[in-house]
Short mmCIF file of all heavy atoms in Angstrom, two decimals:
data_model
loop_
_atom_site.label_atom_id
_atom_site.label_comp_id
_atom_site.label_asym_id
_atom_site.label_seq_id
_atom_site.Cartn_x
_atom_site.Cartn_y
_atom_site.Cartn_z
N TYR W 193 59.34 151.25 184.24
CA TYR W 193 60.77 151.43 183.98
C TYR W 193 61.01 151.10 182.51
O TYR W 193 60.52 150.09 182.02
CB TYR W 193 61.61 150.49 184.84
CG TYR W 193 61.52 150.75 186.32
CD1 TYR W 193 60.61 150.06 187.11
CD2 TYR W 193 62.34 151.70 186.92
CE1 TYR W 193 60.52 150.30 188.48
CE2 TYR W 193 62.25 151.95 188.29
CZ TYR W 193 61.35 151.25 189.06
OH TYR W 193 61.26 151.49 190.41
N ILE W 194 61.75 151.96 181.83
CA ILE W 194 62.10 151.67 180.44
C ILE W 194 63.61 151.49 180.37
O ILE W 194 64.37 152.37 180.77
CB ILE W 194 61.71 152.84 179.51
CG1 ILE W 194 60.20 153.08 179.56
CG2 ILE W 194 62.15 152.56 178.07
CD1 ILE W 194 59.74 154.31 178.79
N SER W 195 64.05 150.33 179.86
CA SER W 195 65.49 150.12 179.74
C SER W 195 65.96 150.72 178.41
O SER W 195 65.23 150.69 177.42
CB SER W 195 65.82 148.63 179.79
OG SER W 195 65.43 148.01 178.58
N LEU W 196 67.16 151.27 178.44
CA LEU W 196 67.70 151.89 177.22
C LEU W 196 69.21 151.68 177.18
O LEU W 196 69.90 152.00 178.14
CB LEU W 196 67.36 153.40 177.27
CG LEU W 196 67.35 154.16 175.97
CD1 LEU W 196 66.43 153.52 174.95
CD2 LEU W 196 66.92 155.60 176.22
N PRO W 197 69.74 151.12 176.07
CA PRO W 197 71.18 150.87 176.01
C PRO W 197 71.97 152.12 175.64
O PRO W 197 71.75 152.71 174.58
CB PRO W 197 71.31 149.79 174.92
CG PRO W 197 70.06 149.86 174.11
CD PRO W 197 69.03 150.61 174.89
N THR W 198 72.89 152.51 176.51
CA THR W 198 73.70 153.72 176.28
C THR W 198 74.62 153.56 175.07
O THR W 198 75.02 154.55 174.46
CB THR W 198 74.57 154.04 177.51
OG1 THR W 198 74.90 152.81 178.15
CG2 THR W 198 73.84 154.90 178.49
N ASP W 199 74.98 152.29 174.73
CA ASP W 199 75.87 152.09 173.58
C ASP W 199 75.10 151.87 172.27
O ASP W 199 75.67 151.46 171.27
CB ASP W 199 76.82 150.91 173.84
CG ASP W 199 76.10 149.63 174.24
OD1 ASP W 199 74.91 149.71 174.64
OD2 ASP W 199 76.70 148.55 174.15
N TYR W 200 73.80 152.14 172.28
CA TYR W 200 73.00 152.05 171.05
C TYR W 200 73.26 153.30 170.22
O TYR W 200 73.31 154.41 170.75
CB TYR W 200 71.51 151.91 171.40
CG TYR W 200 70.56 152.01 170.24
CD1 TYR W 200 70.67 151.13 169.16
CD2 TYR W 200 69.56 152.97 170.22
CE1 TYR W 200 69.79 151.23 168.09
CE2 TYR W 200 68.68 153.07 169.16
CZ TYR W 200 68.80 152.20 168.10
OH TYR W 200 67.94 152.30 167.04
N LYS W 201 73.42 153.12 168.90
CA LYS W 201 73.84 154.21 168.01
C LYS W 201 72.90 155.43 168.10
O LYS W 201 73.35 156.56 168.07
CB LYS W 201 73.89 153.69 166.58
CG LYS W 201 74.90 154.39 165.73
CD LYS W 201 75.26 153.57 164.49
CE LYS W 201 75.99 154.44 163.49
NZ LYS W 201 75.14 155.04 162.46
N ASP W 202 71.60 155.18 168.17
CA ASP W 202 70.64 156.29 168.21
C ASP W 202 70.13 156.57 169.63
O ASP W 202 69.00 157.02 169.81
CB ASP W 202 69.46 155.99 167.28
CG ASP W 202 69.85 156.10 165.83
OD1 ASP W 202 70.75 156.90 165.52
OD2 ASP W 202 69.26 155.39 164.99
N PHE W 203 70.98 156.31 170.62
CA PHE W 203 70.57 156.50 172.02
C PHE W 203 70.00 157.90 172.26
O PHE W 203 68.93 158.05 172.85
CB PHE W 203 71.76 156.24 172.95
CG PHE W 203 71.48 156.57 174.40
CD1 PHE W 203 70.86 155.65 175.22
CD2 PHE W 203 71.81 157.82 174.93
CE1 PHE W 203 70.58 155.95 176.55
CE2 PHE W 203 71.53 158.13 176.26
CZ PHE W 203 70.92 157.19 177.06
N ASP W 204 70.73 158.93 171.78
CA ASP W 204 70.30 160.31 172.05
C ASP W 204 68.90 160.59 171.49
O ASP W 204 68.08 161.22 172.15
CB ASP W 204 71.30 161.32 171.45
CG ASP W 204 72.62 161.29 172.22
OD1 ASP W 204 72.62 160.77 173.35
OD2 ASP W 204 73.63 161.77 171.67
N THR W 205 68.68 160.11 170.25
CA THR W 205 67.37 160.33 169.62
C THR W 205 66.27 159.70 170.45
O THR W 205 65.25 160.35 170.76
CB THR W 205 67.35 159.68 168.21
OG1 THR W 205 68.50 160.12 167.51
CG2 THR W 205 66.10 160.03 167.45
N VAL W 206 66.47 158.43 170.83
CA VAL W 206 65.44 157.72 171.58
C VAL W 206 65.23 158.37 172.95
O VAL W 206 64.10 158.58 173.39
CB VAL W 206 65.81 156.22 171.74
CG1 VAL W 206 64.80 155.50 172.61
CG2 VAL W 206 65.90 155.54 170.38
N GLU W 207 66.33 158.72 173.60
CA GLU W 207 66.21 159.32 174.93
C GLU W 207 65.45 160.64 174.86
O GLU W 207 64.61 160.93 175.71
CB GLU W 207 67.62 159.53 175.50
CG GLU W 207 67.61 159.56 177.02
CD GLU W 207 68.46 160.67 177.56
OE1 GLU W 207 69.12 161.36 176.76
OE2 GLU W 207 68.46 160.85 178.78
N ASN W 208 65.74 161.44 173.81
CA ASN W 208 65.01 162.71 173.63
C ASN W 208 63.53 162.49 173.43
O ASN W 208 62.71 163.19 174.01
CB ASN W 208 65.55 163.45 172.40
CG ASN W 208 66.73 164.31 172.76
OD1 ASN W 208 66.84 164.76 173.91
ND2 ASN W 208 67.64 164.51 171.82
N VAL W 209 63.21 161.50 172.60
CA VAL W 209 61.79 161.20 172.32
C VAL W 209 61.10 160.82 173.62
O VAL W 209 60.01 161.31 173.93
CB VAL W 209 61.68 160.06 171.29
CG1 VAL W 209 60.26 159.51 171.25
CG2 VAL W 209 62.08 160.55 169.92
N LEU W 210 61.72 159.94 174.39
CA LEU W 210 61.10 159.49 175.64
C LEU W 210 60.90 160.67 176.59
O LEU W 210 59.86 160.80 177.22
CB LEU W 210 61.97 158.42 176.32
CG LEU W 210 62.13 157.09 175.56
CD1 LEU W 210 63.04 156.14 176.33
CD2 LEU W 210 60.78 156.42 175.32
N ARG W 211 61.92 161.53 176.64
CA ARG W 211 61.82 162.66 177.55
C ARG W 211 60.73 163.64 177.11
O ARG W 211 59.93 164.11 177.90
CB ARG W 211 63.17 163.36 177.66
CG ARG W 211 63.31 163.98 179.01
CD ARG W 211 64.68 164.43 179.44
NE ARG W 211 65.81 163.75 178.89
CZ ARG W 211 66.65 164.32 178.02
NH1 ARG W 211 66.44 165.54 177.58
NH2 ARG W 211 67.69 163.66 177.60
N GLU W 212 60.70 163.92 175.81
CA GLU W 212 59.70 164.87 175.30
C GLU W 212 58.28 164.35 175.45
O GLU W 212 57.37 165.07 175.81
CB GLU W 212 59.96 165.17 173.82
CG GLU W 212 61.01 166.24 173.62
CD GLU W 212 61.49 166.28 172.18
OE1 GLU W 212 60.76 165.80 171.29
OE2 GLU W 212 62.61 166.79 171.97
N LYS W 213 58.11 163.07 175.15
CA LYS W 213 56.75 162.52 175.13
C LYS W 213 56.19 162.20 176.51
O LYS W 213 55.00 162.36 176.74
CB LYS W 213 56.74 161.23 174.30
CG LYS W 213 56.55 161.45 172.82
CD LYS W 213 56.21 160.13 172.14
CE LYS W 213 55.73 160.33 170.73
NZ LYS W 213 55.51 159.08 170.03
N TYR W 214 57.05 161.71 177.39
CA TYR W 214 56.50 161.13 178.62
C TYR W 214 56.95 161.79 179.91
O TYR W 214 56.68 161.31 181.00
CB TYR W 214 56.84 159.63 178.69
CG TYR W 214 56.60 158.91 177.40
CD1 TYR W 214 57.63 158.22 176.75
CD2 TYR W 214 55.34 158.91 176.81
CE1 TYR W 214 57.41 157.57 175.55
CE2 TYR W 214 55.11 158.26 175.61
CZ TYR W 214 56.16 157.59 174.99
OH TYR W 214 55.94 156.95 173.81
#
Side-chain angles (χ1 to χ4, degrees):
Y193 295 95
I194 299 174
S195 73
L196 202 55
T198 31
D199 53 343
Y200 172 58
K201 209 161 165 265
D202 288 330
F203 173 85
D204 290 342
T205 309
V206 175
E207 205 224 356
N208 273 332
V209 166
L210 295 178
R211 210 166 332 111
E212 277 167 21
K213 274 194 168 175
Y214 315 122

